Amino acid sequence: MVSGSKAGTSPHREIEVMRQSIDDHLAGLLPETDSQDIVSLAMREGVMAPGKRIRPLLMLLAARDLRYQGSMPTLLDLACAVELTHTASLMLDDMPCMDNAEQRRGQPTTHKKFGESVAILASVGLLSKAFGLIAATGDLPGERRAQAVNELSTAVGVQGLVLGQFRDLNDAALDRTPDAILSTNHLKTGILFSAMLQIVAIASASSSSTRETLHAFALDFGQAFQLLDDLRDDHPETGKDRNKDAGKSTLVNRLGADAARQKLREHIDSADRHLTFACPQGGAIRQFMHLWFGHHLADWSPVMKIA
């Protein structure tokens, strides 16, 4: 069972404790291996490279707000399944036939370090591990396990991340409308946020109305997250290749940085309103959201404040 925050514990400290628990669980799922087992080594190094862990963190916080009553190991399995899926998508996204990236999380990308064939196999291995984790979850009844697997499968498949990546590769250089860009951003980013929150809601036996509102929150959060990523495309501390969006029809390039920041704030405000309805008894996600975006927008004024 997920407990509430401890009195006297700062939000930043609590997030760090959660992040460490996620890293420890990931390390247990992908134990150190013989150096000759190159694919397993690439899987572990890709996952354990220093990352934000924002997706599993949001799942733990959502579980608190939704009054999740299951075990912490089960919740960590679900959260880490999403992180494995996310890492697998990054490995493929970085490939020479796609974004041809050289850096990820401050380290050489998997294909640069281990070769393209190993990167492909490692990503398949991570996806397999992710779905196996959810399918083997002991705390959830069979029907709920099937629903959770379906949520992740739909997010990854040809109507989710796959389609988003295809559009990004083939349409990004075109003169796209803002709506077309938003649609691609949702498929690239928002749909996995939605799926992971649906998985937590399923595990928490939440109502259909709560799940619908969480989906609406994820749409806005995903758009804000992608806008922030685009705004920081040339930032030296992102841990990945800089200026990869040059010549692409992102909202930042289409509308300008100031308008993109305003759109980001609008999405955060809308996401905040959805959370008020979805989790009226808890504010863990809401607090984290404002801390996160407030930190990364600290150089820009005005910044959002924690209400």
Side-chain angles (χ1 to χ4, degrees):
M1 180 177 173
V2 179
S3 61
S5 58
K6 297 178 181 178
T9 303
S10 74
H12 294 285
R13 173 58 184 159
E14 190 171 15
I15 290 300
E16 287 308 310
V17 170
M18 284 186 173
R19 185 179 283 114
Q20 188 60 55
S21 70
I22 291 164
D23 282 342
D24 290 345
H25 202 75
L26 287 168
L29 294 172
L30 298 167
E32 294 187 21
T33 185
D34 187 278
S35 60
Q36 299 302 308
D37 186 357
I38 302 299
V39 174
S40 294
L41 182 61
M43 290 168 61
R44 179 181 170 86
E45 289 199 10
V47 171
M48 297 310 298
K52 299 181 291 292
R53 309 298 189 211
I54 190 169
R55 290 159 185 82
L57 279 172
L58 278 174
M59 292 179 74
L60 298 190
L61 294 167
R64 176 180 298 172
D65 284 347
L66 295 173
R67 303 296 190 262
Y68 169 78
Q69 297 295 312
S71 71
M72 179 55 76
T74 291
L75 180 59
L76 284 168
D77 274 349
L78 297 174
C80 288
V82 170
E83 184 68 7
L84 297 180
T85 301
H86 174 58
T87 303
S89 74
L90 296 181
M91 287 182 178
L92 295 174
D93 187 50
D94 289 338
M95 293 286 289
C97 62
M98 298 200 191
D99 282 358
N100 194 24
E102 297 188 358
Q103 267 203 330
R104 175 69 69 176
R105 294 175 172 173
Q107 299 182 10
T109 51
T110 303
H111 74 269
K112 292 293 289 186
K113 184 168 185 178
F114 295 99
E116 294 178 35
S117 61
V118 172
I120 293 170
L121 293 172
S123 66
V124 173
L126 290 176
L127 287 171
S128 176
K129 183 73 173 178
F131 283 102
L133 276 175
I134 298 178
T137 302
D139 273 7
L140 296 181
E143 182 178 354
R144 284 201 226 163
R145 284 202 305 273
Q147 290 175 347
V149 168
N150 183 63
E151 287 290 341
L152 189 58
S153 174
T154 301
V156 171
V158 293
Q159 295 304 313
L161 291 174
V162 169
L163 179 58
Q165 181 66 0
F166 176 80
R167 286 186 182 176
D168 194 48
L169 289 170
N170 288 272
D171 300 344
L174 303 178
D175 186 21
R176 296 184 295 175
T177 66
D179 283 346
I181 297 171
L182 288 170
S183 176
T184 298
N185 287 351
H186 169 61
L187 293 169
K188 283 175 52 183
T189 306
I191 200 164
L192 188 57
F193 281 122
S194 178
M196 70 191 199
L197 291 177
Q198 293 303 309
I199 289 170
V200 176
I202 289 166
S204 304
S206 299
S207 67
S208 59
S209 61
T210 295
R211 289 180 58 182
E212 288 173 8
T213 309
L214 284 173
H215 175 67
F217 160 78
L219 293 179
D220 279 309
F221 187 92
Q223 293 292 349
F225 190 86
Q226 186 61 52
L227 276 166
L228 179 64
D229 188 66
D230 293 345
L231 283 163
R232 290 168 57 84
D233 181 52
D234 63 348
H235 199 283
E237 297 179 4
T238 60
K240 57 184 181 179
D241 295 10
R242 298 172 63 185
N243 298 311
K244 294 296 285 185
D245 289 343
K248 294 175 64 174
S249 56
T250 66
L251 281 180
V252 175
N253 292 338
R254 182 68 187 264
L255 304 178
D258 289 341
R261 290 178 199 129
Q262 181 58 38
K263 290 287 293 183
L264 189 156
R265 294 185 178 98
E266 290 171 4
H267 283 299
I268 291 297
D269 289 343
S270 181
D272 192 287
R273 289 192 294 272
H274 291 308
L275 283 178
T276 301
F277 288 101
C279 310
Q281 308 269 317
I285 302 180
R286 187 169 182 262
Q287 183 181 57
F288 174 78
M289 177 178 69
H290 287 290
L291 283 171
W292 175 265
F293 284 101
H295 169 73
H296 288 291
L297 293 171
D299 294 334
W300 300 325
S301 181
V303 298
M304 285 86 66
K305 302 295 184 181
I306 300 174

